[in-house]
Amino acid sequence: MTVPGRRSSTFTRLLRHGFTDPSGAERLLDVAELSALRGDPVLLDALGATADPDLALRGLVRLVEAQPEEQRQTLTATLLAAKPFRDRLLGVLGASEALADHLARHPRDWQALVTYEAADLHPGVAEFERDLAEATDPVSLRIAYRRCLLAIAARDVCGTTDVAQAAAELADLATATLRAALSIARAAAPADAAHCRLAVIAMGKCGGHELNYVSDVDVIFVAEPVEGADEGKAIQAATRLASHLMRICSETTVEGTIWPVDANLRPEGRNGPLVRTLSSHLAYYQRWAKTWEFQALLKARAVAGDPELGAAYIDAVSPLVWQAAERENFVADVQKMRRRVVDNIPVAQVERELKLGPGGLRDVEFAVQLLQLVHGRGDATLHSGTTLDALRSLAAGGYVGRLDAAQLDEAYRFLRAMEHRIQLYRLRRTHLVPEDESDLRRLGRSLGLRTDPVAELNKEWKRHAAVVRRLHEKLFYRPLLDAVAQLTPGETRLSPKAAGQRLEALGYADPVAALRHLEALASGVTRKAAIQRTLLPVLLGWFADSADPDAGLLGFRKVSDALGKTPWYLRLLRDEGAAAENLARVLSAGRLAPDLLLRAPEAVAILGAPEGLEPRGRDHLEQEILAAVGRADDAEQAVTAARGVRRRELFRTAAADIIGSYGTEDSPRELDPGALVDRVGQALTDLNAATIAGALRAAVRAGWGDTLPTRFAVIGMGRFGGHELGYGSDADVLFVHEPREGVDEQEAARAANRVVAEMRRLLQVPTADPPLMIDADLRPEGKSGPLVRTLKSYEAYYRRWSLVWESQALLRAEFMAGDEELGGRFLELIDPLRYPAEGLGEDAVREIRRLKARMETERLPRGADPTLHTKLGRGGLSDVEWTVQLLQMRHGWAEPGLRTTRTREALAAAQAARLIPTEEAQTLDEAWVLASRVRNAVMLVRGRPGDTFPSDGRELAAVGRYLGYGPGRVGEMVDDYRRITRRARAVVDELFYGA
C-alpha cells in the first residue's frame, strides 16, 4: 500500500517530468518489477527526457511483463546501470508505439540496443547483412529487419546519429534486406537462379541513400542469361525471382510488412515487363524515355544481385542522365513536372503536407535535381544521388550561394526529421503533420522542443517551409544575377557559361541576349540596380512559366529603361507583389499588350492599383474623352487625346484579359471563358463607341462650332453592334442624318459626308496610337451606295429594295454615338425588318441558307483548314451566329428575349423559349466562346489579327497558355478545338440547314 503523502509527492514529480497522465503513470509504477524503481530519480529523469513519457512508461511495463522470469531482473538492472542503453530503450519506447509492440512480441530483442554502445559506431550494409544472415524465410526476415530498425531508431532519437545518417542507415538496411530477400527467393527456386544473372537497381530515396522509416523502395530489375542459356527463358526465370523478392518484402503478416517494393519506375511503368536485359533498357531510354525518367535515374544505385551486371547498368545509363538537359522537350517537361507537384496534393491536405506541400521536401529535392541536370553535364562533382550531398556540391561549385545552401540544408534536415518522427510512431507511410494536440506535443518534444512543444513546432515548421518556398528564387534564379552583377570580394560566382546553361534550361531561346539584359538591369551599385536585383529572381521565374521568356525579359528591360528613373516605378513593383507578377504575365504573353504599354510606359501603374484592371464603363470613358476634346486647340489634337485614352484602355483590357486567363499565384482565374469573352467584347465596344463620339465632337467643332447643320447618329453593326468586338475587329457602322429645321437637304448631306470623312481621317492618322478602322460596307448597296443617308432615304430603301441578308445584318444594329433620339428612330424603323411579323417565310429561309452555303465555299481563304478557321470554318463563329440569327428572325416577333444584338444572349433566350434543346445550346455556346477566344489570343500573341491558329511553335504555345493549356499540350488544344467545333457543326446542320 502506498502512503498518501508519498503518492502526492510522486504525482507532482511526474507532472514535472512531462507526464500528461500522472495518475495512470503511478498505477503503472506499482507493477511489481518496477515498484522498486518508483522513486528512483534516474528512471524518472530518463522517462521525462523522452518524446512521450506516458507512452515510454507503458511500453516499458509491457516489455518487462513480456520477459521470461529469469530475464526481468537482468533487464531492470541493465536499465539502471547503463545510461546509453536506458536512453536508447526509453527513447524508442517514447517515440514509437509500433516498435514497443515489436518488443512486446519479441521480448529478447531489447538486447539489440546494447550491441551498439559506442557513439561513433554506425553500421553499414555489411553489418546489417550479418544481422539478417540467419533469416531463411519471410517471417524471420521481417523479425530480423525490425530488430535492426530498432537499433537505428534508438541511435536516431538519442541524437547519436543525425537525420542524414539515419536515412543513410535505413537505405543500407534496405540494401541488406533486398539481398537477403533475393537469397531466399534463389534458395526457393535454384533452377531459376541457375539460368540468369539478376541485378537489383535501387531508385528514389533508397538509391539516393536517404530512405525514410516507412517508404516504398523503388527498384528496377535488369537481367542477362548465363553463358549458354536461352535469353527468353532467362528473362522468365529472372521475372519469377524478382516477383518472389517483391512478395517477400511486401506481403503483410502478423509481423507487419517490411516495405512495398515498387518497380513502377521501370521502362513503360507498370505496363512494361518487370525484368529487361541491359540492351532492352538502353534501347528504351535512347528512343522513348521522358525527361522525368532520366531525373529518376539520377538516383539509380546497384544494390543487390549480380554486382558486375549492376555496375554495367549504372555505367550505361549515367551518360544518358547527364544529357537530359539537352533534350528538345526538356523545358516543357520540367515545367510539367513542377506543376505535377502541386496537382498531386489533395486540397484538404495541402496545409499539412510535408512532402508535396508548398515549402515541402519535394520542393528542395526537385530544385536540387534540376540544377544537377542542368550543370552536371560538365561538372562531375554534381553526380550524387543524395540531396544534401548534391546541395553541398552545388554550393562548392558556385551554382548556389553558400548561405542559401546552408539555409536549405537546415530546412531540409528539419523537415526530414519531422517526417521521420511522424512515421516512426506507428511505422506508417505518411507525410502529413498530425492534427491531434497530443501527437503534435510528442512530435515537438521528439525534436527537442520542450518549453511549449506545439507552438514551437509550428513556428519552426513554418519558418523552414518559408525558406523552402523561396527555393526557386534562391536556387535557380538569383545566381543568374550573380553572374552579371557586382559581387562582394571572394564570393563564389556562377560563370557566364553556367548562367547561360541555366537560362537555356529555363526556356530562354537566346541565353546570350538574356544575359545582356540582366547585366543592363542589375549591374552597378545604384539603388535602381539593387532593387532590380531583388525583383529579377522572381520575375525570371514568372517569365520562364510563359511560352516566350525572352520576350518577357526584353519587354521588362524596355519598360525599365523608359521608367527606371521614375521614382514610383520600381517602388510599385517592389512593394506591390501583384503589380510585379501582373507585369511579368503581360510582358511574356504576346506582342499586343507590350506594344501598347511601350507606347506609354506609365500605364504600368494600372497593374498595381486595386481597381486598375477593372474596365471603365461607357459613360466614364465618354466623359473623359469629350473633356479632353473640349480642351484641345484643334481637331487633330483632340483626336490624338481621344486615341491616347483608347490606347491606355486597350492596354487595360488586354492586361485584364491576360491576367484573368492565366490567373496569378495570389488570385487564380475566377471568370469562366464565356465571361472573359463577354468582358473583353463589352470593354472594347464601350471604348470604340466613346472614341467615335470624341472624334465626332472634334470633327463638328472644327467645321461648324457647336452645332452640325444636320442631326447625325452612328449605328454600330456586326460585332460592334453586338458588343462582341475582338482585339482585331474593325468598327462596322452605318451613318444616318436628318437635316435640321430650315437647312437645305443638299447642305445637310454635304455636312454629313464631310464630318464622316473627317472622323475617319482623324481616327486613322499615323501616330504612336493604334488606329480605329471604321467600316461602313454594311450600308445599303454596300460600297456602291452613299456613305451617309437620311432617315427617310433608309426608310425608302428598306421598303423597296432591301434583301433578306440586309435584314439579317440589321439584327446587330445598335446606336453608338451622336444624336440618340435620331438613333432610336432608326432602330424603330428597322425593327419590322429584323423581327418580321409572323417570322420569315420559307423563301426567305431558303435564301439565307443558300447565302450561307455560298459563303462557306467562296469566302474561306485558299489553303485554309476548314476545321480550324475560327470565323468561316466548321462550327466556327459564322456557323453559330447564322444559326442564332435565323432563330431571331423566325421567332423574334413573338419572343422578346430574342430581340438583342448579342449572340450569347439570343442563344440563351432561344433555349429558355425551348426553341433549341439545352444540350445543343450549350454546344453552340461553347464553340462560339472558344472560337472568339482563339481570335483574341492570336491578336494578343501576334499583334495582328488572324482567324486560325499560328504556325509558329512559340506563338502556338502562347495561344495555348492563354486558353489554359500548359506546356507541351498544343496538340491537345487543337484536338479539343476540332472536337468542340465538330459537335457544334452537327447542331448547325440540324438547326440551320434542317439536315
Short mmCIF file of all heavy atoms in Angstrom, two decimals, residues 533-576:
data_model
loop_
_atom_site.label_atom_id
_atom_site.label_comp_id
_atom_site.label_asym_id
_atom_site.label_seq_id
_atom_site.Cartn_x
_atom_site.Cartn_y
_atom_site.Cartn_z
N ARG A 533 17.91 43.80 -58.67
CA ARG A 533 18.45 42.50 -58.24
C ARG A 533 17.51 41.80 -57.29
O ARG A 533 17.50 40.57 -57.19
CB ARG A 533 19.84 42.69 -57.61
CG ARG A 533 20.93 43.02 -58.60
CD ARG A 533 22.32 42.83 -58.00
NE ARG A 533 22.63 43.83 -56.99
CZ ARG A 533 23.20 45.00 -57.26
NH1 ARG A 533 23.49 45.32 -58.52
NH2 ARG A 533 23.47 45.85 -56.29
N THR A 534 16.72 42.56 -56.57
CA THR A 534 15.72 41.96 -55.70
C THR A 534 14.53 41.44 -56.50
O THR A 534 13.98 40.37 -56.21
CB THR A 534 15.23 42.99 -54.67
OG1 THR A 534 16.35 43.45 -53.90
CG2 THR A 534 14.19 42.39 -53.73
N LEU A 535 14.15 42.20 -57.53
CA LEU A 535 12.96 41.84 -58.30
C LEU A 535 13.20 40.73 -59.30
O LEU A 535 12.36 39.85 -59.50
CB LEU A 535 12.46 43.08 -59.07
CG LEU A 535 11.86 44.22 -58.26
CD1 LEU A 535 11.68 45.44 -59.16
CD2 LEU A 535 10.52 43.80 -57.69
N LEU A 536 14.35 40.76 -59.95
CA LEU A 536 14.56 39.90 -61.11
C LEU A 536 14.49 38.40 -60.83
O LEU A 536 13.98 37.65 -61.67
CB LEU A 536 15.90 40.24 -61.77
CG LEU A 536 15.80 41.41 -62.76
CD1 LEU A 536 17.19 41.92 -63.12
CD2 LEU A 536 15.07 40.98 -64.03
N PRO A 537 14.97 37.90 -59.69
CA PRO A 537 14.84 36.45 -59.46
C PRO A 537 13.40 35.96 -59.58
O PRO A 537 13.14 34.92 -60.17
CB PRO A 537 15.39 36.27 -58.05
CG PRO A 537 16.35 37.39 -57.88
CD PRO A 537 15.74 38.54 -58.61
N VAL A 538 12.49 36.71 -59.00
CA VAL A 538 11.08 36.30 -59.07
C VAL A 538 10.55 36.48 -60.49
O VAL A 538 9.85 35.61 -61.02
CB VAL A 538 10.24 37.12 -58.08
CG1 VAL A 538 8.80 36.65 -58.09
CG2 VAL A 538 10.81 36.97 -56.67
N LEU A 539 10.88 37.62 -61.12
CA LEU A 539 10.40 37.88 -62.47
C LEU A 539 10.91 36.84 -63.45
O LEU A 539 10.17 36.39 -64.34
CB LEU A 539 10.85 39.27 -62.92
CG LEU A 539 10.16 40.46 -62.23
CD1 LEU A 539 10.90 41.75 -62.55
CD2 LEU A 539 8.71 40.56 -62.64
N LEU A 540 12.15 36.41 -63.29
CA LEU A 540 12.70 35.39 -64.19
C LEU A 540 11.89 34.11 -64.11
O LEU A 540 11.68 33.42 -65.11
CB LEU A 540 14.16 35.12 -63.85
CG LEU A 540 15.18 36.17 -64.33
CD1 LEU A 540 16.54 35.90 -63.71
CD2 LEU A 540 15.29 36.17 -65.84
N GLY A 541 11.45 33.78 -62.91
CA GLY A 541 10.62 32.59 -62.76
C GLY A 541 9.28 32.74 -63.45
O GLY A 541 8.81 31.81 -64.11
N TRP A 542 8.67 33.90 -63.32
CA TRP A 542 7.38 34.13 -64.00
C TRP A 542 7.56 34.15 -65.51
O TRP A 542 6.74 33.60 -66.24
CB TRP A 542 6.76 35.42 -63.50
CG TRP A 542 6.21 35.32 -62.11
CD1 TRP A 542 5.60 34.24 -61.53
CD2 TRP A 542 6.21 36.34 -61.11
NE1 TRP A 542 5.23 34.51 -60.25
CE2 TRP A 542 5.59 35.81 -59.94
CE3 TRP A 542 6.68 37.65 -61.06
CZ2 TRP A 542 5.42 36.53 -58.78
CZ3 TRP A 542 6.50 38.38 -59.89
CH2 TRP A 542 5.88 37.83 -58.77
N PHE A 543 8.63 34.77 -65.98
CA PHE A 543 8.89 34.74 -67.43
C PHE A 543 9.07 33.30 -67.90
O PHE A 543 8.58 32.92 -68.97
CB PHE A 543 10.15 35.55 -67.78
CG PHE A 543 10.04 37.03 -67.53
CD1 PHE A 543 11.14 37.77 -67.15
CD2 PHE A 543 8.82 37.69 -67.67
CE1 PHE A 543 11.05 39.13 -66.92
CE2 PHE A 543 8.73 39.06 -67.45
CZ PHE A 543 9.84 39.78 -67.07
N ALA A 544 9.79 32.50 -67.12
CA ALA A 544 10.06 31.11 -67.51
C ALA A 544 8.79 30.28 -67.56
O ALA A 544 8.74 29.26 -68.25
CB ALA A 544 11.06 30.47 -66.55
N ASP A 545 7.76 30.69 -66.85
CA ASP A 545 6.49 29.97 -66.87
C ASP A 545 5.70 30.24 -68.15
O ASP A 545 4.68 29.61 -68.39
CB ASP A 545 5.62 30.38 -65.67
CG ASP A 545 6.02 29.62 -64.42
OD1 ASP A 545 6.65 28.55 -64.57
OD2 ASP A 545 5.72 30.08 -63.32
N SER A 546 6.14 31.20 -68.94
CA SER A 546 5.39 31.59 -70.13
C SER A 546 5.91 30.85 -71.36
O SER A 546 6.91 30.13 -71.29
CB SER A 546 5.52 33.10 -70.36
OG SER A 546 6.81 33.41 -70.86
N ALA A 547 5.23 31.05 -72.47
CA ALA A 547 5.66 30.41 -73.71
C ALA A 547 6.84 31.14 -74.34
O ALA A 547 7.54 30.57 -75.18
CB ALA A 547 4.50 30.35 -74.71
N ASP A 548 7.09 32.39 -73.97
CA ASP A 548 8.18 33.16 -74.59
C ASP A 548 8.91 33.98 -73.53
O ASP A 548 8.72 35.19 -73.41
CB ASP A 548 7.62 34.08 -75.68
CG ASP A 548 8.70 34.62 -76.60
OD1 ASP A 548 9.90 34.44 -76.28
OD2 ASP A 548 8.37 35.22 -77.64
N PRO A 549 9.78 33.32 -72.74
CA PRO A 549 10.51 34.05 -71.69
C PRO A 549 11.36 35.19 -72.24
O PRO A 549 11.50 36.23 -71.59
CB PRO A 549 11.38 32.96 -71.05
CG PRO A 549 10.72 31.67 -71.40
CD PRO A 549 10.09 31.90 -72.74
N ASP A 550 11.96 34.98 -73.43
CA ASP A 550 12.82 36.03 -74.00
C ASP A 550 12.05 37.33 -74.20
O ASP A 550 12.55 38.41 -73.89
CB ASP A 550 13.38 35.56 -75.34
CG ASP A 550 14.23 34.31 -75.21
OD1 ASP A 550 13.64 33.22 -75.13
OD2 ASP A 550 15.45 34.43 -75.18
N ALA A 551 10.83 37.21 -74.73
CA ALA A 551 10.02 38.41 -74.97
C ALA A 551 9.68 39.10 -73.65
O ALA A 551 9.68 40.33 -73.57
CB ALA A 551 8.75 38.04 -75.71
N GLY A 552 9.40 38.32 -72.63
CA GLY A 552 9.09 38.92 -71.33
C GLY A 552 10.25 39.70 -70.77
O GLY A 552 10.09 40.83 -70.30
N LEU A 553 11.46 39.11 -70.81
CA LEU A 553 12.64 39.80 -70.27
C LEU A 553 12.99 41.03 -71.10
O LEU A 553 13.32 42.09 -70.55
CB LEU A 553 13.81 38.82 -70.24
CG LEU A 553 15.12 39.37 -69.66
CD1 LEU A 553 14.93 39.92 -68.26
CD2 LEU A 553 16.20 38.27 -69.66
N LEU A 554 12.91 40.91 -72.44
CA LEU A 554 13.19 42.07 -73.30
C LEU A 554 12.19 43.19 -73.02
O LEU A 554 12.57 44.36 -72.91
CB LEU A 554 13.13 41.65 -74.77
CG LEU A 554 13.26 42.78 -75.79
CD1 LEU A 554 14.61 43.49 -75.64
CD2 LEU A 554 13.09 42.24 -77.20
N GLY A 555 10.92 42.84 -72.91
CA GLY A 555 9.91 43.86 -72.63
C GLY A 555 10.16 44.53 -71.29
O GLY A 555 10.01 45.75 -71.15
N PHE A 556 10.56 43.75 -70.28
CA PHE A 556 10.83 44.33 -68.96
C PHE A 556 12.01 45.30 -69.04
O PHE A 556 12.00 46.36 -68.42
CB PHE A 556 11.12 43.22 -67.96
CG PHE A 556 11.39 43.74 -66.57
CD1 PHE A 556 10.37 44.31 -65.83
CD2 PHE A 556 12.66 43.67 -66.02
CE1 PHE A 556 10.62 44.80 -64.55
CE2 PHE A 556 12.91 44.15 -64.75
CZ PHE A 556 11.88 44.72 -64.01
N ARG A 557 13.02 44.93 -69.82
CA ARG A 557 14.15 45.85 -69.95
C ARG A 557 13.71 47.16 -70.60
O ARG A 557 14.10 48.24 -70.18
CB ARG A 557 15.28 45.20 -70.76
CG ARG A 557 16.47 46.14 -70.90
CD ARG A 557 17.58 45.58 -71.73
NE ARG A 557 18.62 46.59 -71.92
CZ ARG A 557 19.71 46.41 -72.65
NH1 ARG A 557 19.92 45.24 -73.25
NH2 ARG A 557 20.59 47.37 -72.77
N LYS A 558 12.89 47.06 -71.65
CA LYS A 558 12.45 48.27 -72.34
C LYS A 558 11.61 49.16 -71.42
O LYS A 558 11.79 50.38 -71.39
CB LYS A 558 11.64 47.89 -73.58
CG LYS A 558 12.47 47.30 -74.71
CD LYS A 558 11.60 46.93 -75.91
CE LYS A 558 12.43 46.42 -77.07
NZ LYS A 558 11.58 46.03 -78.22
N VAL A 559 10.69 48.53 -70.68
CA VAL A 559 9.87 49.32 -69.75
C VAL A 559 10.75 49.96 -68.68
O VAL A 559 10.58 51.12 -68.32
CB VAL A 559 8.77 48.44 -69.13
CG1 VAL A 559 8.02 49.21 -68.04
CG2 VAL A 559 7.80 47.96 -70.19
N SER A 560 11.72 49.19 -68.18
CA SER A 560 12.60 49.71 -67.13
C SER A 560 13.49 50.82 -67.66
O SER A 560 13.77 51.79 -66.95
CB SER A 560 13.45 48.57 -66.55
OG SER A 560 12.64 47.63 -65.89
N ASP A 561 13.94 50.68 -68.91
CA ASP A 561 14.74 51.77 -69.49
C ASP A 561 13.92 53.04 -69.60
O ASP A 561 14.43 54.15 -69.41
CB ASP A 561 15.24 51.36 -70.88
CG ASP A 561 16.37 50.33 -70.81
OD1 ASP A 561 16.90 50.13 -69.71
OD2 ASP A 561 16.68 49.73 -71.86
N ALA A 562 12.63 52.89 -69.92
CA ALA A 562 11.77 54.06 -70.08
C ALA A 562 11.38 54.68 -68.75
O ALA A 562 11.22 55.89 -68.65
CB ALA A 562 10.52 53.68 -70.87
N LEU A 563 11.23 53.85 -67.72
CA LEU A 563 10.68 54.34 -66.45
C LEU A 563 11.64 54.22 -65.28
O LEU A 563 11.29 54.57 -64.16
CB LEU A 563 9.40 53.56 -66.10
CG LEU A 563 8.19 53.77 -67.01
CD1 LEU A 563 7.05 52.86 -66.56
CD2 LEU A 563 7.74 55.22 -66.99
N GLY A 564 12.85 53.71 -65.54
CA GLY A 564 13.76 53.42 -64.44
C GLY A 564 14.08 54.60 -63.55
O GLY A 564 14.36 54.44 -62.36
N LYS A 565 14.07 55.80 -64.10
CA LYS A 565 14.37 56.99 -63.30
C LYS A 565 13.14 57.58 -62.64
O LYS A 565 13.22 58.55 -61.90
CB LYS A 565 15.05 58.04 -64.18
CG LYS A 565 16.41 57.60 -64.69
CD LYS A 565 17.07 58.68 -65.54
CE LYS A 565 18.44 58.22 -66.04
NZ LYS A 565 19.10 59.24 -66.89
N THR A 566 11.98 56.98 -62.93
CA THR A 566 10.74 57.45 -62.31
C THR A 566 10.65 56.83 -60.92
O THR A 566 10.64 55.60 -60.79
CB THR A 566 9.53 57.02 -63.14
OG1 THR A 566 9.74 57.45 -64.49
CG2 THR A 566 8.26 57.61 -62.59
N PRO A 567 10.59 57.62 -59.87
CA PRO A 567 10.70 57.06 -58.51
C PRO A 567 9.61 56.06 -58.17
O PRO A 567 9.85 55.12 -57.42
CB PRO A 567 10.64 58.30 -57.60
CG PRO A 567 10.09 59.39 -58.46
CD PRO A 567 10.48 59.09 -59.85
N TRP A 568 8.41 56.23 -58.73
CA TRP A 568 7.32 55.36 -58.31
C TRP A 568 7.36 53.98 -58.96
O TRP A 568 6.76 53.04 -58.46
CB TRP A 568 5.96 56.00 -58.61
CG TRP A 568 5.75 56.34 -60.06
CD1 TRP A 568 5.96 57.54 -60.65
CD2 TRP A 568 5.30 55.46 -61.11
NE1 TRP A 568 5.68 57.49 -62.00
CE2 TRP A 568 5.26 56.23 -62.31
CE3 TRP A 568 4.92 54.13 -61.16
CZ2 TRP A 568 4.87 55.68 -63.52
CZ3 TRP A 568 4.53 53.59 -62.37
CH2 TRP A 568 4.50 54.35 -63.53
N TYR A 569 8.09 53.86 -60.10
CA TYR A 569 8.01 52.62 -60.90
C TYR A 569 8.57 51.41 -60.13
O TYR A 569 7.87 50.42 -59.89
CB TYR A 569 8.75 52.82 -62.22
CG TYR A 569 9.03 51.55 -62.98
CD1 TYR A 569 8.00 50.76 -63.46
CD2 TYR A 569 10.34 51.12 -63.19
CE1 TYR A 569 8.26 49.59 -64.16
CE2 TYR A 569 10.62 49.96 -63.90
CZ TYR A 569 9.57 49.20 -64.37
OH TYR A 569 9.82 48.04 -65.05
N LEU A 570 9.83 51.47 -59.75
CA LEU A 570 10.42 50.33 -59.05
C LEU A 570 9.81 50.14 -57.68
O LEU A 570 9.69 49.02 -57.18
CB LEU A 570 11.93 50.52 -58.94
CG LEU A 570 12.71 50.39 -60.25
CD1 LEU A 570 14.17 50.72 -60.05
CD2 LEU A 570 12.55 49.00 -60.84
N ARG A 571 9.40 51.24 -57.05
CA ARG A 571 8.73 51.13 -55.75
C ARG A 571 7.43 50.36 -55.90
O ARG A 571 7.07 49.52 -55.06
CB ARG A 571 8.49 52.52 -55.17
CG ARG A 571 7.92 52.47 -53.74
CD ARG A 571 7.95 53.85 -53.09
NE ARG A 571 7.10 54.79 -53.79
CZ ARG A 571 7.55 55.87 -54.44
NH1 ARG A 571 8.84 56.12 -54.49
NH2 ARG A 571 6.71 56.69 -55.05
N LEU A 572 6.71 50.63 -56.99
CA LEU A 572 5.46 49.92 -57.26
C LEU A 572 5.71 48.43 -57.39
O LEU A 572 5.02 47.60 -56.78
CB LEU A 572 4.83 50.46 -58.55
CG LEU A 572 3.64 49.67 -59.11
CD1 LEU A 572 2.39 49.93 -58.27
CD2 LEU A 572 3.38 50.05 -60.57
N LEU A 573 6.71 48.05 -58.18
CA LEU A 573 6.98 46.63 -58.40
C LEU A 573 7.52 45.96 -57.14
O LEU A 573 7.22 44.79 -56.87
CB LEU A 573 7.99 46.46 -59.54
CG LEU A 573 7.55 46.98 -60.92
CD1 LEU A 573 8.60 46.63 -61.95
CD2 LEU A 573 6.19 46.41 -61.32
N ARG A 574 8.32 46.67 -56.38
CA ARG A 574 8.89 46.09 -55.17
C ARG A 574 7.85 45.91 -54.07
O ARG A 574 7.80 44.87 -53.40
CB ARG A 574 10.03 46.98 -54.66
CG ARG A 574 10.75 46.43 -53.43
CD ARG A 574 11.62 47.51 -52.81
NE ARG A 574 10.80 48.63 -52.32
CZ ARG A 574 11.29 49.82 -52.01
NH1 ARG A 574 12.58 50.06 -52.15
NH2 ARG A 574 10.49 50.78 -51.58
N ASP A 575 6.99 46.91 -53.90
CA ASP A 575 6.09 46.92 -52.75
C ASP A 575 4.72 46.33 -53.05
O ASP A 575 4.00 45.93 -52.13
CB ASP A 575 5.91 48.35 -52.23
CG ASP A 575 7.23 48.95 -51.76
OD1 ASP A 575 8.15 48.17 -51.47
OD2 ASP A 575 7.33 50.19 -51.71
N GLU A 576 4.33 46.28 -54.32
CA GLU A 576 3.04 45.71 -54.69
C GLU A 576 3.28 44.41 -55.44
O GLU A 576 3.56 44.40 -56.63
CB GLU A 576 2.25 46.70 -55.59
CG GLU A 576 1.93 48.02 -54.91
CD GLU A 576 0.89 47.87 -53.82
OE1 GLU A 576 0.17 46.86 -53.82
OE2 GLU A 576 0.82 48.76 -52.96
#
